Amino acid sequence: MTQALFDRATNAATCDFLSSTGQGAAAYAAWGLLTPGPFDEFGAIAYAALAKMAYDQGCSWDPNQPDPNPQTPIKGCSEVIGGVGTIGITQVTPGTFNPFQAASATQAVKIVDVVEERRDQTSIYYTAKWEIAGSEQLGAELFVSPFENPTTVSIIPTGDATCGKQEEPTSKYDYDYTDQETGCSLTVSMEGYSVDSGNRVSPVWRITAAGDGVRANGGVISGDCNFAPTLVIPDPNGPGPSGPGGPGGPGGPTYLPIPDDPTPGPNGEPWWQSVLAGVAGGATAALIDAALQAFFDQKYDGLIYRMVSVCEKSASGEPISEAVEVPIPALKAPDAQLARLDAIVELLQAHKNFKQPVCPNERPKLDGDWRTISFRSATTSPYGRACLRKRFRYRSLSGLGLGDVVDHWKDFAFESGEVVVSHKGFTWGTPQVWAATADEGKRVIQHAAREAGFDADQVGQWVISSCTSARYGVSAQMSVDTRGGYYWITSRDGSNDKPIVALTSDP
């Protein structure tokens, strides 16, 4: 599916490139499949080749349209070291390649700039700036570059001098493409041209996922939208992108991942030229396989996948922790990926064997005497005329009598509020309190736990929640209710008979 996406993206980019770039389409570097460096004769065939490309792709291209982003026409040596050189121009005419022709300036060391002076319907007129012994020189109108026969300027080193810097009059073209079928957003960039032995020209495209592979309309990233930067290069043995067996079929383009360090060749050629050159020489499978092997020949560190149970218990009922481990050794791709996929089967089986999907609801048996503590606020509720009342209940195994229980609670107070704190998973039930904060609620419950004879942090578990309704989360100072002259604190097991209470003072 991704190859079909790339085909649609490059086809759209080719037409946009030709229609929007105009004369600038001929300014991109071309690389011959049978030569180690740049294809110097490209200027002689550029216009005919680009016209054929436009025809094959069903695109429009106007060679007379001015380049919207003209580039300085410096091609070749632009700086001399260890001596001096002669500045000059290379004039290319259709069908022939003319050697370097010396211009009016000599003994140049460095080309500083090439300035466009003016242009008419057919040509661009340039002036060159160069440097001699540290002194900058400005020539007259040095040369004319016809639109159909582009002219470039460079320096030829003389004597023992050598070239210190090579330049290419390259442009930069990026095309933002949104695919209608997948919704993927891509950026398609022009890398240059490939020229085969029959002088057939094909663009070389670099494709990256725009915005880290997101869809244009948002949503989850799919495999089609999320991919490594990829180079789409033509197959020189094929009939072309629009001919029989076009994209994706025999003779279609080749898709290569971009290496982390795309080091150019010894003559400045891009890394992918050698791949295409091998394809042209009949070494398709070997070179492609070697290139792909180099890209994916990465060794992945070993690791251990571990799944731990949380619900298993021993024969005596004590919680135990069981684990299943799947070690993955250090491997190269694709063995590393296959080992990880195989581990999923074993981990899924372990997940199935463990108690599912959550720990069983094993309630502890309730034990102890019920304690009921009634609290009352000192002020009335803002939502009524009565004071707030709270009842707090729990079971205790302390064995204390009512008097001792009253002594434990009679002076206790807390701040009520919207935070609901409860404690569950132990024999004393599930005591619950509405408090101003979680810590305040825990303080109330821990006070009860000390009377019951244990530490609530050491057994069971805390549950914290809250209520958004202001009517149910009123904040007030709550104290033990003493209406009627006795403490509203009871200690009994059931609801039969009247509860025994303690008076607040002796009669």
Side-chain angles (χ1 to χ4, degrees):
M1 181 61 183
T2 303
Q3 290 186 0
L5 171 63
F6 290 168
D7 293 337
R8 294 190 295 270
T10 53
N11 288 341
T14 299
C15 287
D16 182 81
F17 170 73
L18 291 172
S19 63
S20 63
T21 307
Q23 300 159 2
Y28 287 75
W31 307 92
L33 299 183
L34 302 180
T35 58
F39 187 76
D40 293 327
E41 293 86 352
F42 178 63
I45 66 170
Y47 285 82
L50 292 175
K52 185 178 186 304
M53 182 194 304
Y55 176 80
D56 290 341
Q57 291 287 99
C59 307
S60 61
W61 179 60
D62 182 2
N64 295 319
Q65 175 188 340
D67 182 2
N69 299 297
Q71 303 296 314
T72 301
I74 303 175
K75 182 175 183 178
C77 183
S78 64
E79 185 174 348
V80 174
I81 58 176
V84 295
T86 302
I87 191 171
I89 61 174
T90 300
Q91 179 68 54
V92 179
T93 58
T96 62
F97 176 70
N98 297 327
F100 188 88
Q101 299 173 352
S104 58
T106 59
Q107 303 302 297
V109 175
K110 179 180 179 181
I111 299 176
V112 179
D113 196 7
V114 175
V115 181
E116 179 184 332
E117 294 291 342
R118 60 190 176 90
R119 62 172 65 199
D120 55 26
Q121 297 296 321
T122 60
S123 304
I124 307 175
Y125 300 83
Y126 294 99
T127 292
K129 294 181 181 180
W130 62 89
E131 185 181 278
I132 300 176
S135 176
E136 188 174 298
Q137 306 290 324
L138 177 63
E141 200 167 74
L142 180 61
F143 65 96
V144 178
S145 178
F147 288 156
E148 69 275 11
N149 305 322
T151 306
T152 58
V153 62
S154 60
I155 303 175
I156 291 182
T158 58
D160 294 331
T162 59
C163 181
K165 184 178 181 182
Q166 289 277 348
E167 294 192 32
E168 286 291 331
T170 57
S171 300
K172 180 63 175 175
Y173 171 83
D174 291 327
Y175 177 67
D176 294 328
Y177 172 76
T178 299
D179 189 59
Q180 297 300 315
E181 293 189 20
T182 63
C184 299
S185 295
L186 315 179
T187 298
V188 186
S189 304
M190 179 68 168
E191 293 288 310
Y193 297 108
S194 170
V195 184
D196 64 13
S197 58
N199 287 340
R200 185 175 57 186
V201 177
S202 300
V204 179
W205 298 105
R206 175 191 177 101
I207 301 182
T208 55
D212 297 328
V214 299
R215 292 182 181 273
N217 58 354
V220 179
I221 299 174
S222 70
D224 292 329
C225 294
N226 191 15
F227 56 87
T230 302
L231 205 72
V232 179
I233 56 181
D235 183 349
N237 295 321
S242 63
T254 299
Y255 308 91
L256 290 180
I258 303 293
D260 292 334
D261 181 18
T263 304
N267 297 288
E269 66 271 16
W271 63 272
W272 45 263
Q273 188 191 25
S274 60
V275 177
L276 281 182
V279 174
T284 305
L287 280 173
I288 295 285
D289 288 347
L292 291 175
Q293 183 63 34
F295 299 141
F296 293 112
D297 194 18
Q298 176 183 351
K299 192 170 186 178
Y300 295 83
D301 294 335
L303 51 81
I304 296 177
Y305 288 143
R306 191 168 188 261
M307 180 171 287
V308 181
S309 69
V310 294
C311 298
E312 269 53 42
K313 292 186 177 182
S314 65
S316 61
E318 294 297 321
I320 60 174
S321 178
E322 293 186 359
V324 173
E325 294 184 349
V326 181
I328 307 293
L331 295 169
K332 294 180 180 180
D335 293 335
Q337 287 84 350
L338 292 175
R340 285 160 172 78
L341 291 174
D342 291 342
I344 294 176
V345 177
E346 189 169 349
L347 293 173
L348 285 176
Q349 183 60 50
H351 184 264
K352 184 70 175 177
N353 293 340
F354 292 151
K355 292 182 179 179
Q356 301 293 321
V358 294
C359 299
N361 186 15
E362 298 176 352
R363 289 188 176 185
K365 182 180 179 181
L366 299 181
D367 196 9
D369 299 322
W370 278 111
R371 313 293 199 210
T372 302
I373 319 297
S374 296
F375 293 90
R376 188 172 186 268
S377 67
T379 59
T380 59
S381 169
Y383 300 101
R385 298 179 180 179
C387 296
L388 295 178
R389 288 179 293 175
K390 304 287 184 181
R391 190 174 69 162
F392 180 73
R393 301 190 72 211
Y394 65 95
R395 285 179 178 269
S396 172
L397 291 173
S398 66
L400 295 178
L402 178 61
D404 292 330
V405 176
V406 169
D407 289 340
H408 183 80
W409 281 103
K410 67 180 181 178
D411 296 324
F412 186 84
F414 73 97
E415 187 74 18
S416 67
E418 64 180 10
V419 180
V420 183
V421 182
S422 58
H423 187 276
K424 68 177 186 178
F426 193 55
T427 59
W428 70 335
T430 309
Q432 175 181 289
V433 62
W434 290 62
T437 65
D439 288 340
E440 180 72 345
K442 287 184 177 181
R443 186 176 70 87
V444 176
I445 294 178
Q446 279 284 30
H447 188 75
R450 283 192 290 273
E451 188 278 314
F454 66 95
D455 184 349
D457 284 333
Q458 302 301 316
V459 296
Q461 65 184 90
W462 294 103
V463 179
I464 311 295
S465 60
S466 62
C467 178
T468 58
S469 174
R471 296 183 63 88
Y472 293 95
V474 177
S475 179
Q477 183 76 10
M478 307 298 296
S479 302
V480 175
D481 195 347
T482 58
R483 287 174 301 158
Y486 56 87
Y487 295 103
W488 287 50
I489 299 173
T490 63
S491 174
R492 61 174 182 164
D493 232 356
S495 59
N496 296 328
D497 300 327
K498 293 182 178 181
I500 299 174
V501 297
L503 299 176
T504 57
S505 61
D506 293 334

